[in-house]
Amino acid sequence: MCSSDLFNGDALGGDGIFKSTDGGNTWAQLPATDGWDTVNRIAVCPSNPQLILASKRYGGIMRSADGGATWTNPRWGQGSFDVRWHPTNPNLAVAHLMDYTSDWCHRAIYTTDGGVTWNNAGGLTEVLGFGNRLSVCYAPSNPTIVYAVCAADGGKIWKSTDGGQNYAVVTTSAGCGCSWYACPLWVHPTNPDFVVTGGYNVYASTNGGVTLNQVRSEEHTSELQSRQ
């Protein structure tokens, strides 16, 4: 899944970011992140491992160009819960941002310069309501397509066909029931129309999020797999 349960009021806070140089056997805290509060998501650029984006509450989007030795805060916000690099283009990334305007709100944002600057995405510019968080995910086989799932309106799938710059809701069936606590999103690595999301239950779509079907059994899972 691209995203699931993250920061919440009854969870333990984090302790910055840790790094392993031996395949995960041992870990050491990155000194520059000592004292950071909750880090919700870490994204390492696929073509440049020194370039890292992190979603933080509080603070928003953090960026490092030297493997985590130093960090900047190119897009401040009350929080960010999700950030994703384009699979092949190191200039492109998408993310979630939570902020406060007239009310608590959530928005999708994107960058075209490797995370140096960020823009609000059309369609998901301001979703009001503290609990209406959202998650984003590229379709790996066709990254001009980016999906978002938002907890508002019962949990519908939004779709972008311009790399995450603009989104429109596509779900016509009942929503997936995603929420603040559970807002997962996954796109099949070779089939851009196969999307999995959920909340209390798991839902799958084989038509790009237009209809969402609850995954109820092994039989139903096999049926979905046969459509890939």
Side-chain angles (χ1 to χ4, degrees):
M1 291 290 180
C2 267
S3 184
S4 55
D5 185 21
L6 303 169
F7 166 88
N8 58 77
D10 54 5
L12 295 174
D15 194 22
I17 295 176
F18 285 70
K19 179 179 180 179
S20 172
T21 58
D22 57 8
N25 289 315
T26 60
W27 296 82
Q29 185 191 57
L30 294 175
T33 68
D34 183 24
W36 280 20
D37 37 38
T38 308
V39 178
N40 297 302
R41 191 68 60 194
I42 303 168
V44 180
C45 181
S47 59
N48 180 4
Q50 294 298 302
L51 189 54
I52 307 169
L53 297 172
S55 289
K56 192 160 90 65
R57 167 81 160 131
Y58 302 79
I61 300 295
M62 306 298 294
R63 180 181 189 270
S64 175
D66 54 14
T70 61
W71 295 82
T72 59
N73 184 201
R75 182 63 186 265
W76 189 91
Q78 289 288 334
S80 174
F81 299 151
D82 203 7
V83 60
R84 303 289 162 184
W85 283 107
H86 186 284
T88 59
N89 189 333
N91 292 315
L92 305 180
V94 293
H96 156 270
L97 193 78
M98 182 176 77
D99 219 331
Y100 190 92
T101 54
S102 60
D103 190 359
W104 288 100
C105 67
H106 299 267
R107 54 175 56 110
I109 60 176
Y110 68 93
T111 179
T112 58
D113 58 10
V116 177
T117 60
W118 292 82
N119 307 287
N120 295 339
L124 285 171
T125 299
E126 188 175 84
V127 181
L128 297 179
F130 186 84
N132 287 332
R133 56 169 282 205
L134 59 91
S135 299
V136 292
C137 194
Y138 281 100
S141 61
N142 183 3
T144 58
I145 296 175
V146 182
Y147 290 99
V149 62
C150 181
D153 194 27
K156 302 294 179 71
I157 297 291
W158 294 66
K159 184 178 182 179
S160 169
T161 57
D162 58 7
Q165 297 188 26
N166 296 279
Y167 294 83
V169 65
V170 294
T171 302
T172 58
S173 64
C176 67
C178 67
S179 66
W180 175 273
Y181 280 90
C183 194
L185 184 61
W186 177 85
V187 184
H188 192 281
T190 61
N191 183 349
D193 292 324
F194 192 95
V195 183
V196 177
T197 184
Y200 183 79
N201 296 299
V202 177
Y203 288 79
S205 173
T206 58
N207 55 11
V210 176
T211 55
L212 300 173
N213 301 293
Q214 185 177 336
V215 179
R216 300 177 183 275
S217 65
E218 291 182 3
E219 178 181 357
H220 187 60
T221 301
S222 298
E223 176 187 353
L224 292 172
Q225 289 174 341
S226 69
R227 300 180 188 176
Q228 296 177 18

